[in-house]
PDB file of all heavy atoms in Angstrom:
ATOM      1  N   ASP A  21       3.548  10.219 -14.538  1.00  0.00           N
ATOM      2  CA  ASP A  21       3.892  10.557 -13.248  1.00  0.00           C
ATOM      3  C   ASP A  21       5.024   9.649 -12.625  1.00  0.00           C
ATOM      4  O   ASP A  21       5.346   8.590 -13.345  1.00  0.00           O
ATOM      5  CB  ASP A  21       2.712  10.669 -12.339  1.00  0.00           C
ATOM      6  CG  ASP A  21       2.849  11.665 -11.123  1.00  0.00           C
ATOM      7  OD1 ASP A  21       3.959  11.964 -10.800  1.00  0.00           O
ATOM      8  OD2 ASP A  21       1.859  12.221 -10.818  1.00  0.00           O
ATOM      9  N   SER A  22       5.626   9.923 -11.533  1.00  0.00           N
ATOM     10  CA  SER A  22       6.662   9.060 -10.925  1.00  0.00           C
ATOM     11  C   SER A  22       6.035   7.936 -10.058  1.00  0.00           C
ATOM     12  O   SER A  22       6.806   7.124  -9.557  1.00  0.00           O
ATOM     13  CB  SER A  22       7.591   9.841 -10.182  1.00  0.00           C
ATOM     14  OG  SER A  22       6.962  10.557  -9.201  1.00  0.00           O
ATOM     15  N   VAL A  23       4.758   7.953  -9.901  1.00  0.00           N
ATOM     16  CA  VAL A  23       4.101   6.949  -9.013  1.00  0.00           C
ATOM     17  C   VAL A  23       2.806   6.506  -9.591  1.00  0.00           C
ATOM     18  O   VAL A  23       2.308   7.108 -10.639  1.00  0.00           O
ATOM     19  CB  VAL A  23       3.782   7.587  -7.649  1.00  0.00           C
ATOM     20  CG1 VAL A  23       5.006   7.993  -6.852  1.00  0.00           C
ATOM     21  CG2 VAL A  23       2.793   8.662  -7.700  1.00  0.00           C
ATOM     22  N   THR A  24       2.247   5.372  -9.219  1.00  0.00           N
ATOM     23  CA  THR A  24       0.982   4.891  -9.703  1.00  0.00           C
ATOM     24  C   THR A  24      -0.100   5.949  -9.388  1.00  0.00           C
ATOM     25  O   THR A  24      -0.167   6.454  -8.230  1.00  0.00           O
ATOM     26  CB  THR A  24       0.617   3.656  -9.016  1.00  0.00           C
ATOM     27  OG1 THR A  24       1.618   2.589  -9.545  1.00  0.00           O
ATOM     28  CG2 THR A  24      -0.790   3.083  -9.436  1.00  0.00           C
ATOM     29  N   ILE A  25      -0.877   6.249 -10.380  1.00  0.00           N
ATOM     30  CA  ILE A  25      -2.054   7.163 -10.162  1.00  0.00           C
ATOM     31  C   ILE A  25      -3.151   6.209  -9.692  1.00  0.00           C
ATOM     32  O   ILE A  25      -3.546   5.251 -10.412  1.00  0.00           O
ATOM     33  CB  ILE A  25      -2.410   7.964 -11.404  1.00  0.00           C
ATOM     34  CG1 ILE A  25      -1.244   8.891 -11.703  1.00  0.00           C
ATOM     35  CG2 ILE A  25      -3.741   8.716 -11.185  1.00  0.00           C
ATOM     36  CD1 ILE A  25      -1.411   9.535 -13.094  1.00  0.00           C
ATOM     37  N   THR A  26      -3.827   6.502  -8.601  1.00  0.00           N
ATOM     38  CA  THR A  26      -4.840   5.570  -8.065  1.00  0.00           C
ATOM     39  C   THR A  26      -6.266   6.142  -8.411  1.00  0.00           C
ATOM     40  O   THR A  26      -6.420   7.261  -8.724  1.00  0.00           O
ATOM     41  CB  THR A  26      -4.772   5.414  -6.478  1.00  0.00           C
ATOM     42  OG1 THR A  26      -4.898   6.686  -5.835  1.00  0.00           O
ATOM     43  CG2 THR A  26      -3.356   4.759  -6.170  1.00  0.00           C
ATOM     44  N   LYS A  27      -7.151   5.150  -8.455  1.00  0.00           N
ATOM     45  CA  LYS A  27      -8.530   5.463  -8.810  1.00  0.00           C
ATOM     46  C   LYS A  27      -9.080   6.636  -7.966  1.00  0.00           C
ATOM     47  O   LYS A  27      -8.931   6.645  -6.749  1.00  0.00           O
ATOM     48  CB  LYS A  27      -9.442   4.199  -8.572  1.00  0.00           C
ATOM     49  CG  LYS A  27     -10.821   4.414  -9.025  1.00  0.00           C
ATOM     50  CD  LYS A  27     -11.713   3.233  -8.773  1.00  0.00           C
ATOM     51  CE  LYS A  27     -13.146   3.439  -9.259  1.00  0.00           C
ATOM     52  NZ  LYS A  27     -13.898   2.266  -9.062  1.00  0.00           N
ATOM     53  N   GLY A  28      -9.741   7.596  -8.651  1.00  0.00           N
ATOM     54  CA  GLY A  28     -10.206   8.777  -7.956  1.00  0.00           C
ATOM     55  C   GLY A  28      -9.291   9.977  -7.892  1.00  0.00           C
ATOM     56  O   GLY A  28      -9.756  11.132  -7.590  1.00  0.00           O
ATOM     57  N   GLN A  29      -7.972   9.785  -8.126  1.00  0.00           N
ATOM     58  CA  GLN A  29      -7.155  10.934  -8.036  1.00  0.00           C
ATOM     59  C   GLN A  29      -7.311  11.842  -9.214  1.00  0.00           C
ATOM     60  O   GLN A  29      -7.284  11.421 -10.369  1.00  0.00           O
ATOM     61  CB  GLN A  29      -5.621  10.500  -7.944  1.00  0.00           C
ATOM     62  CG  GLN A  29      -5.247   9.965  -6.692  1.00  0.00           C
ATOM     63  CD  GLN A  29      -3.798   9.649  -6.555  1.00  0.00           C
ATOM     64  OE1 GLN A  29      -3.152   9.039  -7.412  1.00  0.00           O
ATOM     65  NE2 GLN A  29      -3.153  10.224  -5.512  1.00  0.00           N
ATOM     66  N   PRO A  30      -7.304  13.193  -9.063  1.00  0.00           N
ATOM     67  CA  PRO A  30      -7.385  14.131 -10.146  1.00  0.00           C
ATOM     68  C   PRO A  30      -6.117  14.174 -10.909  1.00  0.00           C
ATOM     69  O   PRO A  30      -5.065  14.017 -10.288  1.00  0.00           O
ATOM     70  CB  PRO A  30      -7.744  15.478  -9.478  1.00  0.00           C
ATOM     71  CG  PRO A  30      -7.424  15.294  -8.113  1.00  0.00           C
ATOM     72  CD  PRO A  30      -7.391  13.834  -7.739  1.00  0.00           C
ATOM     73  N   VAL A  31      -6.232  14.311 -12.305  1.00  0.00           N
ATOM     74  CA  VAL A  31      -4.964  14.286 -13.073  1.00  0.00           C
ATOM     75  C   VAL A  31      -5.052  15.460 -13.992  1.00  0.00           C
ATOM     76  O   VAL A  31      -6.192  16.023 -14.368  1.00  0.00           O
ATOM     77  CB  VAL A  31      -4.832  13.006 -13.856  1.00  0.00           C
ATOM     78  CG1 VAL A  31      -4.671  11.761 -12.936  1.00  0.00           C
ATOM     79  CG2 VAL A  31      -6.007  12.774 -14.825  1.00  0.00           C
ATOM     80  N   TYR A  32      -3.902  15.917 -14.517  1.00  0.00           N
ATOM     81  CA  TYR A  32      -3.851  17.000 -15.528  1.00  0.00           C
ATOM     82  C   TYR A  32      -3.141  16.604 -16.713  1.00  0.00           C
ATOM     83  O   TYR A  32      -2.314  15.648 -16.715  1.00  0.00           O
ATOM     84  CB  TYR A  32      -3.196  18.278 -14.916  1.00  0.00           C
ATOM     85  CG  TYR A  32      -1.754  18.240 -14.753  1.00  0.00           C
ATOM     86  CD1 TYR A  32      -0.850  18.767 -15.630  1.00  0.00           C
ATOM     87  CD2 TYR A  32      -1.271  17.751 -13.526  1.00  0.00           C
ATOM     88  CE1 TYR A  32       0.485  18.830 -15.458  1.00  0.00           C
ATOM     89  CE2 TYR A  32       0.121  17.827 -13.331  1.00  0.00           C
ATOM     90  CZ  TYR A  32       1.024  18.242 -14.265  1.00  0.00           C
ATOM     91  OH  TYR A  32       2.346  18.273 -14.097  1.00  0.00           O
ATOM     92  N   ALA A  33      -3.558  17.127 -17.885  1.00  0.00           N
ATOM     93  CA  ALA A  33      -2.850  16.910 -19.159  1.00  0.00           C
ATOM     94  C   ALA A  33      -1.440  17.379 -19.081  1.00  0.00           C
ATOM     95  O   ALA A  33      -1.209  18.586 -18.962  1.00  0.00           O
ATOM     96  CB  ALA A  33      -3.703  17.482 -20.286  1.00  0.00           C
ATOM     97  N   PHE A  34      -0.442  16.439 -19.182  1.00  0.00           N
ATOM     98  CA  PHE A  34       0.923  16.922 -19.063  1.00  0.00           C
ATOM     99  C   PHE A  34       1.517  17.023 -20.456  1.00  0.00           C
ATOM    100  O   PHE A  34       2.142  17.994 -20.746  1.00  0.00           O
ATOM    101  CB  PHE A  34       1.705  15.887 -18.190  1.00  0.00           C
ATOM    102  CG  PHE A  34       3.129  16.049 -18.181  1.00  0.00           C
ATOM    103  CD1 PHE A  34       3.607  17.148 -17.447  1.00  0.00           C
ATOM    104  CD2 PHE A  34       4.066  15.172 -18.844  1.00  0.00           C
ATOM    105  CE1 PHE A  34       5.109  17.430 -17.458  1.00  0.00           C
ATOM    106  CE2 PHE A  34       5.400  15.468 -18.706  1.00  0.00           C
ATOM    107  CZ  PHE A  34       5.955  16.597 -18.098  1.00  0.00           C
ATOM    108  N   SER A  35       1.482  15.972 -21.272  1.00  0.00           N
ATOM    109  CA  SER A  35       1.963  16.060 -22.646  1.00  0.00           C
ATOM    110  C   SER A  35       1.368  15.071 -23.552  1.00  0.00           C
ATOM    111  O   SER A  35       0.130  14.802 -23.350  1.00  0.00           O
ATOM    112  CB  SER A  35       3.596  15.705 -22.416  1.00  0.00           C
ATOM    113  OG  SER A  35       4.231  15.811 -23.706  1.00  0.00           O
ATOM    114  N   GLY A  36       2.043  14.473 -24.449  1.00  0.00           N
ATOM    115  CA  GLY A  36       1.486  13.442 -25.301  1.00  0.00           C
ATOM    116  C   GLY A  36       2.509  12.551 -25.804  1.00  0.00           C
ATOM    117  O   GLY A  36       3.689  12.783 -25.774  1.00  0.00           O
ATOM    118  N   THR A  37       2.049  11.299 -26.106  1.00  0.00           N
ATOM    119  CA  THR A  37       3.018  10.332 -26.620  1.00  0.00           C
ATOM    120  C   THR A  37       2.209   9.540 -27.757  1.00  0.00           C
ATOM    121  O   THR A  37       1.174   8.857 -27.431  1.00  0.00           O
ATOM    122  CB  THR A  37       3.490   9.434 -25.600  1.00  0.00           C
ATOM    123  OG1 THR A  37       4.341   8.377 -26.127  1.00  0.00           O
ATOM    124  CG2 THR A  37       2.417   8.718 -24.719  1.00  0.00           C
ATOM    125  N   GLY A  38       2.725   9.638 -28.954  1.00  0.00           N
ATOM    126  CA  GLY A  38       1.995   8.912 -30.067  1.00  0.00           C
ATOM    127  C   GLY A  38       0.605   9.566 -30.243  1.00  0.00           C
ATOM    128  O   GLY A  38       0.466  10.753 -30.453  1.00  0.00           O
ATOM    129  N   ASP A  39      -0.417   8.761 -30.010  1.00  0.00           N
ATOM    130  CA  ASP A  39      -1.796   9.179 -30.262  1.00  0.00           C
ATOM    131  C   ASP A  39      -2.510   9.386 -28.906  1.00  0.00           C
ATOM    132  O   ASP A  39      -3.664   9.380 -28.802  1.00  0.00           O
ATOM    133  CB  ASP A  39      -2.605   8.255 -31.113  1.00  0.00           C
ATOM    134  CG  ASP A  39      -2.778   6.877 -30.512  1.00  0.00           C
ATOM    135  OD1 ASP A  39      -1.988   6.569 -29.483  1.00  0.00           O
ATOM    136  OD2 ASP A  39      -3.597   6.078 -31.066  1.00  0.00           O
ATOM    137  N   ARG A  40      -1.603   9.330 -27.767  1.00  0.00           N
ATOM    138  CA  ARG A  40      -2.338   9.444 -26.485  1.00  0.00           C
ATOM    139  C   ARG A  40      -1.740  10.567 -25.569  1.00  0.00           C
ATOM    140  O   ARG A  40      -0.585  10.912 -25.675  1.00  0.00           O
ATOM    141  CB  ARG A  40      -2.037   8.060 -25.730  1.00  0.00           C
ATOM    142  CG  ARG A  40      -3.157   7.582 -24.931  1.00  0.00           C
ATOM    143  CD  ARG A  40      -2.934   6.109 -24.445  1.00  0.00           C
ATOM    144  NE  ARG A  40      -1.735   5.423 -24.825  1.00  0.00           N
ATOM    145  CZ  ARG A  40      -1.569   4.887 -26.106  1.00  0.00           C
ATOM    146  NH1 ARG A  40      -2.429   4.827 -26.904  1.00  0.00           N
ATOM    147  NH2 ARG A  40      -0.407   4.223 -26.411  1.00  0.00           N
ATOM    148  N   MET A  41      -2.627  11.161 -24.792  1.00  0.00           N
ATOM    149  CA  MET A  41      -2.239  12.193 -23.888  1.00  0.00           C
ATOM    150  C   MET A  41      -1.475  11.441 -22.579  1.00  0.00           C
ATOM    151  O   MET A  41      -1.840  10.407 -22.291  1.00  0.00           O
ATOM    152  CB  MET A  41      -3.433  12.992 -23.415  1.00  0.00           C
ATOM    153  CG  MET A  41      -3.149  14.019 -22.393  1.00  0.00           C
ATOM    154  SD  MET A  41      -4.510  15.071 -21.780  1.00  0.00           S
ATOM    155  CE  MET A  41      -5.969  14.303 -22.543  1.00  0.00           C
ATOM    156  N   THR A  42      -0.451  12.157 -22.109  1.00  0.00           N
ATOM    157  CA  THR A  42       0.065  11.795 -20.853  1.00  0.00           C
ATOM    158  C   THR A  42      -0.470  12.588 -19.725  1.00  0.00           C
ATOM    159  O   THR A  42      -0.749  13.745 -19.962  1.00  0.00           O
ATOM    160  CB  THR A  42       1.598  11.744 -20.845  1.00  0.00           C
ATOM    161  OG1 THR A  42       2.046  13.104 -20.999  1.00  0.00           O
ATOM    162  CG2 THR A  42       2.137  10.893 -21.995  1.00  0.00           C
ATOM    163  N   VAL A  43      -0.577  12.026 -18.601  1.00  0.00           N
ATOM    164  CA  VAL A  43      -1.120  12.750 -17.395  1.00  0.00           C
ATOM    165  C   VAL A  43      -0.259  12.544 -16.145  1.00  0.00           C
ATOM    166  O   VAL A  43       0.624  11.652 -16.045  1.00  0.00           O
ATOM    167  CB  VAL A  43      -2.476  12.253 -17.043  1.00  0.00           C
ATOM    168  CG1 VAL A  43      -3.441  12.524 -18.192  1.00  0.00           C
ATOM    169  CG2 VAL A  43      -2.616  10.778 -16.652  1.00  0.00           C
ATOM    170  N   LYS A  44      -0.391  13.517 -15.261  1.00  0.00           N
ATOM    171  CA  LYS A  44       0.233  13.447 -13.937  1.00  0.00           C
ATOM    172  C   LYS A  44      -0.777  13.839 -12.939  1.00  0.00           C
ATOM    173  O   LYS A  44      -1.959  14.408 -13.299  1.00  0.00           O
ATOM    174  CB  LYS A  44       1.431  14.375 -13.826  1.00  0.00           C
ATOM    175  CG  LYS A  44       2.624  14.032 -14.715  1.00  0.00           C
ATOM    176  CD  LYS A  44       3.863  14.870 -14.431  1.00  0.00           C
ATOM    177  CE  LYS A  44       4.988  14.367 -15.203  1.00  0.00           C
ATOM    178  NZ  LYS A  44       6.285  15.139 -14.772  1.00  0.00           N
ATOM    179  N   ARG A  45      -0.598  13.588 -11.668  1.00  0.00           N
ATOM    180  CA  ARG A  45      -1.484  13.920 -10.624  1.00  0.00           C
ATOM    181  C   ARG A  45      -1.611  15.463 -10.480  1.00  0.00           C
ATOM    182  O   ARG A  45      -0.637  16.132 -10.474  1.00  0.00           O
ATOM    183  CB  ARG A  45      -1.018  13.457  -9.194  1.00  0.00           C
ATOM    184  CG  ARG A  45      -1.077  11.853  -9.148  1.00  0.00           C
ATOM    185  CD  ARG A  45      -0.298  11.358  -8.013  1.00  0.00           C
ATOM    186  NE  ARG A  45       1.051  11.774  -8.083  1.00  0.00           N
ATOM    187  CZ  ARG A  45       1.883  11.898  -7.058  1.00  0.00           C
ATOM    188  NH1 ARG A  45       1.484  11.805  -5.878  1.00  0.00           N
ATOM    189  NH2 ARG A  45       3.111  12.378  -7.316  1.00  0.00           N
ATOM    190  N   ALA A  46      -2.835  15.993 -10.509  1.00  0.00           N
ATOM    191  CA  ALA A  46      -3.045  17.415 -10.490  1.00  0.00           C
ATOM    192  C   ALA A  46      -3.078  17.862  -9.106  1.00  0.00           C
ATOM    193  O   ALA A  46      -3.371  17.199  -8.093  1.00  0.00           O
ATOM    194  CB  ALA A  46      -4.454  17.709 -11.092  1.00  0.00           C
ATOM    195  N   TYR A  47      -2.745  19.204  -8.806  1.00  0.00           N
ATOM    196  CA  TYR A  47      -2.933  19.889  -7.536  1.00  0.00           C
ATOM    197  C   TYR A  47      -2.902  21.356  -7.799  1.00  0.00           C
ATOM    198  O   TYR A  47      -2.562  21.899  -8.813  1.00  0.00           O
ATOM    199  CB  TYR A  47      -1.720  19.508  -6.575  1.00  0.00           C
ATOM    200  CG  TYR A  47      -0.323  19.676  -7.148  1.00  0.00           C
ATOM    201  CD1 TYR A  47       0.427  20.716  -6.785  1.00  0.00           C
ATOM    202  CD2 TYR A  47       0.204  18.612  -7.943  1.00  0.00           C
ATOM    203  CE1 TYR A  47       1.822  20.848  -7.261  1.00  0.00           C
ATOM    204  CE2 TYR A  47       1.475  18.768  -8.443  1.00  0.00           C
ATOM    205  CZ  TYR A  47       2.293  19.828  -8.072  1.00  0.00           C
ATOM    206  OH  TYR A  47       3.551  19.944  -8.590  1.00  0.00           O
ATOM    207  N   ASN A  48      -3.411  22.038  -6.776  1.00  0.00           N
ATOM    208  CA  ASN A  48      -3.778  23.595  -7.029  1.00  0.00           C
ATOM    209  C   ASN A  48      -2.761  24.574  -6.719  1.00  0.00           C
ATOM    210  O   ASN A  48      -3.157  25.781  -6.642  1.00  0.00           O
ATOM    211  CB  ASN A  48      -5.147  23.780  -6.226  1.00  0.00           C
ATOM    212  CG  ASN A  48      -4.947  23.921  -4.831  1.00  0.00           C
ATOM    213  OD1 ASN A  48      -3.866  23.925  -4.271  1.00  0.00           O
ATOM    214  ND2 ASN A  48      -6.066  23.896  -4.076  1.00  0.00           N
ATOM    215  N   THR A  49      -1.530  24.237  -6.405  1.00  0.00           N
ATOM    216  CA  THR A  49      -0.584  25.246  -6.039  1.00  0.00           C
ATOM    217  C   THR A  49       0.166  25.943  -7.205  1.00  0.00           C
ATOM    218  O   THR A  49       0.868  26.859  -6.986  1.00  0.00           O
ATOM    219  CB  THR A  49       0.475  24.655  -5.106  1.00  0.00           C
ATOM    220  OG1 THR A  49       1.155  23.665  -5.698  1.00  0.00           O
ATOM    221  CG2 THR A  49      -0.226  24.143  -3.820  1.00  0.00           C
ATOM    222  N   SER A  50      -0.185  25.654  -8.487  1.00  0.00           N
ATOM    223  CA  SER A  50       0.442  26.203  -9.595  1.00  0.00           C
ATOM    224  C   SER A  50      -0.452  26.177 -10.808  1.00  0.00           C
ATOM    225  O   SER A  50      -1.284  25.252 -10.841  1.00  0.00           O
ATOM    226  CB  SER A  50       1.740  25.625  -9.931  1.00  0.00           C
ATOM    227  OG  SER A  50       1.584  24.393 -10.663  1.00  0.00           O
ATOM    228  N   GLU A  51      -0.311  27.092 -11.727  1.00  0.00           N
ATOM    229  CA  GLU A  51      -1.048  27.124 -12.954  1.00  0.00           C
ATOM    230  C   GLU A  51      -0.891  25.892 -13.741  1.00  0.00           C
ATOM    231  O   GLU A  51      -1.836  25.267 -14.305  1.00  0.00           O
ATOM    232  CB  GLU A  51      -0.784  28.377 -13.762  1.00  0.00           C
ATOM    233  CG  GLU A  51      -1.571  28.576 -15.019  1.00  0.00           C
ATOM    234  CD  GLU A  51      -3.061  28.971 -14.785  1.00  0.00           C
ATOM    235  OE1 GLU A  51      -3.507  29.088 -13.708  1.00  0.00           O
ATOM    236  OE2 GLU A  51      -3.731  29.128 -15.810  1.00  0.00           O
ATOM    237  N   THR A  52       0.388  25.497 -13.848  1.00  0.00           N
ATOM    238  CA  THR A  52       0.804  24.232 -14.660  1.00  0.00           C
ATOM    239  C   THR A  52       0.094  22.994 -14.191  1.00  0.00           C
ATOM    240  O   THR A  52      -0.353  22.264 -15.008  1.00  0.00           O
ATOM    241  CB  THR A  52       2.318  24.066 -14.547  1.00  0.00           C
ATOM    242  OG1 THR A  52       2.932  25.175 -15.049  1.00  0.00           O
ATOM    243  CG2 THR A  52       2.788  22.950 -15.370  1.00  0.00           C
ATOM    244  N   THR A  53      -0.068  22.867 -12.887  1.00  0.00           N
ATOM    245  CA  THR A  53      -0.616  21.587 -12.333  1.00  0.00           C
ATOM    246  C   THR A  53      -2.025  21.635 -12.078  1.00  0.00           C
ATOM    247  O   THR A  53      -2.730  20.645 -11.648  1.00  0.00           O
ATOM    248  CB  THR A  53       0.151  21.147 -11.084  1.00  0.00           C
ATOM    249  OG1 THR A  53      -0.061  22.117 -10.084  1.00  0.00           O
ATOM    250  CG2 THR A  53       1.644  20.972 -11.414  1.00  0.00           C
ATOM    251  N   SER A  54      -2.703  22.729 -12.403  1.00  0.00           N
ATOM    252  CA  SER A  54      -4.148  22.862 -12.159  1.00  0.00           C
ATOM    253  C   SER A  54      -5.012  23.228 -13.347  1.00  0.00           C
ATOM    254  O   SER A  54      -6.092  22.812 -13.631  1.00  0.00           O
ATOM    255  CB  SER A  54      -4.418  23.835 -11.026  1.00  0.00           C
ATOM    256  OG  SER A  54      -3.991  25.228 -11.416  1.00  0.00           O
ATOM    257  N   ALA A  55      -4.455  24.163 -14.243  1.00  0.00           N
ATOM    258  CA  ALA A  55      -5.203  24.701 -15.339  1.00  0.00           C
ATOM    259  C   ALA A  55      -5.766  23.631 -16.352  1.00  0.00           C
ATOM    260  O   ALA A  55      -6.771  23.781 -16.988  1.00  0.00           O
ATOM    261  CB  ALA A  55      -4.466  25.814 -16.093  1.00  0.00           C
TER     262      ALA A  55
END
């Protein structure tokens, strides 16, 4: 994500890098950011 993700914030699986998934802050206004 473009900002620090703080403890307790929901996140969604965005992509991957090496052997690790990358995440961004989740929100419910689109399928991409919620599913």
Side-chain angles (χ1 to χ4, degrees):
D21 212 326
S22 59
V23 299
T24 295
I25 296 171
T26 59
K27 181 177 180 177
Q29 286 188 309
V31 298
Y32 72 96
F34 176 68
S35 187
T37 176
D39 64 347
R40 222 170 354 281
M41 179 176 10
T42 62
V43 297
K44 291 187 175 188
R45 293 166 299 152
Y47 51 102
N48 72 10
T49 60
S50 79
E51 181 74 359
T52 301
T53 60
S54 66

